[in-house]
């Protein structure tokens, strides 16, 4: 990342500005154009032609954000720092992902929005619904220089047609825009058939190479027979989920089992042609196997009636031996177990595939497009909000979000490497402490530096190789050593270069294709639970009914839209 090292004289122009929403009546007289901030520790500087945020001119920014994180406590340390250094107070409205569809509909109907809108909606309804302003005029080197640096190499990928025939950037990508070297101990975006560590420990750390569904469930079955209860509660062999927004937990696995990466509802062949797989043999084989495992009592009977929160709560009890999921999606449950010291009840990924297939569960982290923060049309003064986001992109603030305060949350050794003491690491596992000392709900959708900072340190402690291993519990160190590994990433395949169009799941679909996509999802939710839970003698009949219903859907509309998106990306993303 470009580093700005020269100090410029700042001409302070006293302005009277109106801040956004609740801050609109406050005096922002000292806000100044030609913004430039020099950090005390030599971190990244930012310069812009936008107002300088100052405690002399307090502002309040309202934030509506889709996230699994909770709002910070009232006495949060970084909230105080935002106010003391920048005069910024954040008002939060947190939207759990499972409520997002309903909330977006209500918002668009009402037409009133928070200043800063954090969205992960793949159908970009806030953009197409006219809720967000184009950011292009702000994303220049002489205005929001750090945000400009963030989007410049990927402008064509990020520019979106809101329906008016023009392409603009409305949302700043929240994840997987990398700087420097990509390092890390955990691949949060990777999928896997996760298995509890104690299962593997009990079985003598068996090889996880050449994994199949049969071996995966055999390990679970053996453990369940030996330990029918965990902490006084019935052991759950395999957990499923089909809650709104998380239907892919039920529908995605067949593509992985067949050796494909995550392209959502389609697989893409060597000629870059996408087809759905829901009605294909690779899907039938998976759901038939689940039907058989259910007959053995290995699948949770409550799988298809639970919400995402109930699913996470069940995982957090430590009695779930396995599930298919992506690492980021069950982080809360994982962290809860770690906070209780139940390291043996957390999970590692396995990669079962059908015979002759090569595992492709881990991909190169894909930059989120149209997911992150945008600024709403209701915001009274976007200049201030852009200035805030640009300031947050400085290395100084990125380190505060990720590492904390130097000397308090981490130290720097004689070689300039960041590290934490055992006490500092331990407090990171305390969810109450985190609520008081981290701003995870705000940062989740924030544009961020991932990779390494200009001083060579990793973006966060979990990605600093030596800090990652040192931060592990003795149990986890012994577990990794038993497998001859140093990181959790090493349980996954080495990801090859992503195809240029990858992934298909974030291709924006026209309305008719969205309708078909929803029809396919609705059919999956209607039939697959019945198919999995049925008596095995009924499987073929139910599967035939499911495929018959899919055949009534105009699948070609959906496939044509995906293939058009693939070709459009191949044509335009090659820069």
């Amino acid at each position: 990342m470009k580093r700005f090292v020269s100090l410029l004289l700042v001409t302070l122009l006293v302005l009277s500005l109106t801040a956004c929403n609740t801050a609109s009546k406050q005096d922002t007289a000292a806000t100044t154009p030609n913004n430039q901030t020099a950090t005390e520790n030599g971190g990244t500087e930012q310069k812009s032609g936008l107002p300088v945020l100052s405690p002399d001119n307090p502002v309040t920014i309202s934030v509506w954000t889709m996230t699994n994180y909770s709002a910070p406590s009232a006495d949060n340390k970084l909230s105080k720092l935002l106010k003391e250094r920048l005069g910024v107070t954040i008002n939060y409205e947190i939207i759990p992902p499972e409520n997002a569809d309903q909330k977006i509909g209500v918002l668009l109907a009402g037409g009133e929005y928070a200043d800063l809108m954090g969205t992960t909606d793949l159908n970009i309804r806030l953009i197409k619904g006219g809720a967000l302003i184009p950011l292009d005029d702000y994303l220049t080197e002489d205005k929001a220089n750090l945000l400009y640096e963030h989007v410049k190499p990927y402008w064509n990928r990020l520019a979106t047609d809101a329906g008016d025939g023009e392409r603009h950037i409305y949302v700043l990508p929240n994840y997987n825009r990398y700087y420097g070297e990509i390092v890390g101990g955990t691949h949060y975006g990777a999928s896997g058939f996760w298995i509890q560590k104690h299962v593997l420990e009990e079985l003598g750390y068996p090889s996880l190479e050449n994994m199949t569904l049969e071996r995966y469930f055999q390990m679970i079955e053996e453990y369940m027979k030996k330990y029918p209860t965990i902490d006084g509660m019935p052991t759950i062999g395999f957990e499923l989920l089909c809650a709104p927004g998380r239907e892919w937990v039920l529908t995605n696995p067949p593509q992985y089992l067949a050796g494909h990466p995550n392209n959502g509802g389609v697989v893409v062949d060597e000629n870059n042609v996408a087809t759905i797989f829901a009605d294909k043999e690779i899907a039938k084989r998976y759901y038939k196997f689940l039907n058989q495992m259910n007959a053995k009592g290995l699948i949770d009977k409550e799988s298809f009636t639970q919400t995402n929160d109930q699913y996470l709560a069940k995982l957090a009890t430590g009695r779930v031996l396995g599930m298919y999921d992506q690492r980021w999606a069950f982080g809360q449950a994982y962290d809860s177990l770690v906070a209780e010291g139940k390291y043996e009840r957390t999970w590692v990924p396995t990669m079962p595939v059908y015979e002759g297939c090569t595992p492709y569960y881990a991909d190169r982290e894909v930059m989120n497009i149209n997911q992150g923060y945008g600024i709403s049309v209701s915001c009274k003064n976007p200049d201030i909000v852009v200035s805030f986001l640009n300031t947050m992109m400085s290395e100084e603030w990125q380190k505060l979000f990720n590492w904390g305060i130097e000397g308090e949350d981490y130290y720097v050794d004689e070689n300039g490497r960041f590290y934490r003491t055992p006490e500092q690491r331990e407090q990171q596992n305390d969810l109450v402490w985190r609520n008081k000392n981290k701003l995870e709900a705000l940062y989740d959708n924030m544009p961020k530096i991932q990779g390494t900072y200009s001083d060579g340190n990793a973006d966060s402690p979990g990605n600093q190789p030596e800090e990652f291993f040192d931060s592990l519990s003795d149990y986890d160190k012994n577990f990794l050593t038993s497998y001859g590994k140093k990181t959790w990433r090493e349980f996954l395949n080495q990801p090859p270069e992503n195809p240029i169009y990858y992934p298909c799941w974030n291709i924006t679909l026209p309305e008719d294709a969205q309708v078909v996509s929803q029809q396919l999802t609705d059919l999956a939710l209607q039939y697959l639970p019945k198919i999995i839970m049925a008596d095995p003698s009924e499987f073929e009949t139910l599967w035939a009914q499911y495929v018959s219903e899919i055949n009534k859907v105009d699948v070609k509309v959906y496939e044509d839209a995906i293939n058009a998106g693939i070709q459009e990306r191949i044509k335009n993303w090659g820069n």
Side-chain angles (χ1 to χ4, degrees):
M1 187 183 73
K2 185 175 181 179
R3 186 181 181 191
F4 297 90
V5 295
S6 62
L7 290 176
L8 302 176
L9 293 176
V10 178
T11 302
L12 297 175
L13 300 177
V14 179
L15 302 174
S16 293
L17 297 174
T18 303
C20 301
N21 282 356
T22 53
S24 61
K25 297 179 181 179
Q26 300 178 31
D27 179 19
T28 56
T31 52
T32 307
N34 198 24
N35 176 5
Q36 178 175 334
T37 299
T39 63
E40 294 179 355
N41 59 6
T44 302
E45 302 162 357
Q46 65 134 347
K47 60 179 182 179
S48 81
L50 297 171
V52 172
L53 300 169
S54 164
D56 296 331
N57 299 281
V59 297
T60 298
I61 298 174
S62 57
V63 175
W64 182 99
T65 187
M66 297 162 59
T67 179
N68 282 317
Y69 291 107
S70 303
S73 64
D75 59 346
N76 182 276
K77 178 170 68 180
L78 295 184
S79 294
K80 290 180 180 176
L81 211 57
L82 284 174
K83 195 167 186 177
E84 290 170 4
R85 294 189 182 180
L86 305 175
V88 172
T89 299
I90 303 292
N91 283 343
Y92 294 89
E93 183 176 359
I94 305 293
I95 309 299
E98 62 193 84
N99 297 335
D101 283 346
Q102 178 198 3
K103 293 290 187 181
I104 289 173
V106 171
L107 271 180
L108 291 174
E112 290 292 328
Y113 311 98
D115 301 319
L116 203 51
M117 302 292 291
T119 177
T120 59
D121 176 34
L122 296 180
N123 291 324
I124 61 172
R125 283 167 289 184
L126 293 176
I127 296 176
K128 292 194 170 182
L132 306 179
I133 65 170
L135 299 175
D136 306 44
D137 289 344
Y138 292 101
L139 300 175
T140 62
E141 195 161 14
D142 61 345
K143 287 189 176 177
N145 62 320
L146 300 180
L147 296 179
Y148 171 70
E149 190 73 21
H150 196 63
V151 303
K152 183 177 65 174
Y154 307 100
W155 198 282
N156 288 342
R157 298 190 185 206
L158 299 172
T160 302
D161 182 353
D164 56 4
E166 298 183 5
R167 293 170 63 84
H168 300 288
I169 293 179
Y170 293 89
V171 173
L172 301 164
N174 55 1
Y175 283 103
N176 301 336
R177 193 307 195 192
Y178 284 92
Y179 297 78
E181 185 182 356
I182 300 176
V183 291
T186 302
H187 188 330
Y188 288 94
S191 290
F193 277 78
W194 300 81
I195 192 162
Q196 197 178 87
K197 292 171 187 169
H198 196 246
V199 174
L200 300 177
E201 178 187 1
E202 188 70 19
L203 296 175
Y205 304 103
S207 170
L208 302 179
E209 300 297 318
N210 303 313
M211 184 58 62
T212 63
L213 279 177
E214 289 77 8
R215 279 186 58 214
Y216 175 81
F217 275 91
Q218 183 183 8
M219 291 190 291
I220 288 174
E221 185 175 13
E222 286 182 27
Y223 187 90
M224 281 188 75
K225 286 179 179 176
K226 189 170 184 179
Y227 299 100
T229 62
I230 293 176
D231 295 335
M233 297 180 289
T235 302
I236 296 172
F238 190 75
E239 192 64 68
L240 286 160
L241 178 67
C242 61
R246 301 271 274 115
E247 300 92 342
W248 47 265
V249 173
L250 182 63
T251 58
N252 271 3
Q255 61 187 329
Y256 292 108
L257 293 165
H260 295 279
N262 181 13
N263 271 310
V266 298
V267 293
V268 182
D269 67 17
E270 62 276 13
N271 297 314
N272 298 325
V273 176
T275 53
I276 69 164
F277 60 83
D279 56 346
K280 304 299 190 297
E281 182 62 25
I282 62 173
K284 179 181 180 181
R285 184 172 171 180
Y286 175 58
Y287 298 115
K288 187 172 186 176
F289 191 82
L290 289 185
N291 171 270
Q292 295 166 349
M293 295 303 99
N294 177 65
K296 285 187 169 187
L298 300 183
I299 293 178
D300 183 16
K301 299 294 183 187
E302 297 176 350
S303 287
F304 302 117
T305 58
Q306 61 193 351
T307 65
N308 187 47
D309 283 345
Q310 291 168 329
Y311 165 80
L312 293 174
K314 198 172 288 181
L315 295 186
T317 64
R319 62 192 178 106
V320 176
L321 304 185
M323 68 282 183
Y324 161 81
D325 210 336
Q326 296 181 7
R327 175 63 178 81
W328 64 268
F330 60 89
Q332 286 176 297
Y334 193 103
D335 292 347
S336 294
L337 289 167
V338 168
E340 295 180 44
K342 295 181 177 179
Y343 303 100
E344 78 282 8
R345 299 300 177 194
T346 57
W347 309 266
V348 291
T350 71
M351 301 184 293
V353 289
Y354 297 140
E355 64 277 5
C357 298
T358 301
Y360 197 162
Y361 282 73
D363 53 16
R364 298 273 177 117
E365 283 94 333
V366 176
M367 184 175 63
N368 288 354
I369 56 175
N370 294 319
Q371 296 185 66
Y373 281 127
I375 297 176
S376 83
V377 295
S378 300
C379 181
K380 297 292 192 300
N381 195 328
D383 286 13
I384 287 181
V385 179
V386 174
S387 181
F388 171 69
L389 292 175
N390 198 54
T391 303
M392 296 300 98
M393 271 300 293
S394 67
E395 288 196 1
E396 177 183 13
W397 279 97
Q398 293 286 315
K399 289 173 182 175
L400 285 167
F401 282 124
N402 286 301
W403 284 89
I405 296 175
E406 182 182 342
E408 186 173 326
D409 301 315
Y410 72 98
Y411 294 102
V412 183
D413 69 15
E414 64 276 12
N415 297 314
R417 300 293 290 174
F418 295 179
Y419 71 96
R420 282 176 168 161
T421 65
E423 292 75 19
Q424 289 169 335
R425 294 171 191 139
E426 186 63 28
Q427 64 190 10
Q428 301 292 324
N429 297 328
D430 183 338
L431 298 182
V432 175
W433 184 92
R434 284 166 53 171
N435 196 248
K436 291 183 176 181
N437 292 275
K438 299 177 76 70
L439 282 180
E440 292 168 315
L442 177 66
Y443 190 62
D444 194 19
N445 276 315
M446 190 82 77
K448 49 182 69 73
I449 294 174
Q450 287 181 264
T452 50
Y453 298 115
S454 55
D455 58 16
N457 283 289
D459 57 66
S460 61
N463 288 331
Q464 186 98 316
E466 66 272 31
E467 173 61 25
F468 173 76
F469 190 80
D470 289 343
S471 70
L472 297 176
S473 66
D474 289 341
Y475 179 88
D476 279 345
K477 288 177 182 174
N478 290 333
F479 185 91
L480 282 170
T481 301
S482 297
Y483 274 102
K485 302 180 189 299
K486 290 287 187 183
T487 71
W488 305 124
R489 275 181 178 261
E490 295 176 54
F491 284 82
L492 295 159
N493 59 283
Q494 280 295 318
E497 289 288 346
N498 294 331
I500 193 167
Y501 61 79
Y502 186 82
C504 293
W505 55 259
N506 64 6
I507 289 176
T508 302
L509 300 174
E511 192 169 340
D512 55 351
Q514 286 183 36
V515 171
V516 173
S517 177
Q518 188 59 52
Q519 288 173 327
L520 292 171
T521 299
D522 292 344
L523 285 175
L525 298 184
Q526 179 184 351
Y527 276 93
L528 292 180
K530 287 193 295 187
I531 287 170
I532 294 168
M533 294 295 178
D535 185 277
S537 65
E538 300 173 342
F539 176 84
E540 292 294 341
T541 299
L542 289 169
W543 181 260
Q545 290 176 7
Y546 175 47
V547 172
S548 175
E549 291 300 317
I550 291 176
N551 290 338
K552 295 176 184 176
V553 176
D554 195 353
V555 171
K556 189 171 185 304
V557 168
Y558 174 69
E559 290 178 336
D560 284 351
I562 293 290
N563 282 309
I566 290 174
Q567 293 307 315
E568 190 271 339
R569 288 180 175 183
I570 291 174
K571 178 182 177 182
N572 295 314
W573 286 14
N575 57 357

